[in-house]
Amino acid sequence: DLNELNIIFIGQIKSGKSNLINFYLNNSFLKEYKPTIIEKWNAKIYISNILNSINIWEFGGTTNLNSQTFKTIYKNENSIILY
């Protein structure tokens, strides 16, 4: 069984959330700006020699976040919100 972790990025428009995520996943920055509403990426990484499934969520600055949005994300308690 994989441990499942959620990392949730929330922030203002054009604050660099997509670039930060892209750099982490692909070791490169994006060449052009593309507005984001909601995006989700998946990655598998080892932490302390244990394979983990990481769900990375990005919410654009104009996204209307509500409790249902977070219920969808919080399938488990292993979540980090970055603002």
Side-chain angles (χ1 to χ4, degrees):
D1 269 343
L2 292 177
N3 290 330
E4 186 174 336
L5 307 170
N6 289 308
I7 301 173
I8 303 153
F9 286 80
I10 302 170
Q12 298 299 314
I13 297 170
K14 297 184 181 181
S15 63
K17 298 176 299 296
S18 297
N19 253 326
L20 184 63
I21 294 166
N22 193 68
F23 188 81
Y24 173 74
L25 294 176
N26 303 309
N27 202 31
S28 67
F29 289 109
L30 299 170
K31 302 218 184 301
E32 62 184 63
Y33 173 73
K34 292 182 186 174
T36 302
I37 298 173
I38 298 175
E39 292 289 337
K40 179 183 177 188
W41 293 269
N42 299 97
K44 295 199 178 11
I45 63 167
Y46 282 93
I47 300 173
S48 299
N49 295 322
I50 298 170
L51 185 61
N52 294 272
S53 175
I54 306 291
N55 299 309
I56 302 173
W57 296 81
E58 178 192 355
F59 292 91
T62 60
T63 305
N64 183 10
L65 302 175
N66 58 40
S67 62
Q68 188 59 41
T69 303
F70 286 107
K71 285 179 186 176
T72 301
I73 296 168
Y74 290 142
K75 295 176 186 172
N76 61 50
E77 297 176 357
N78 300 324
S79 298
I80 299 170
I81 298 175
L82 303 170
Y83 179 78

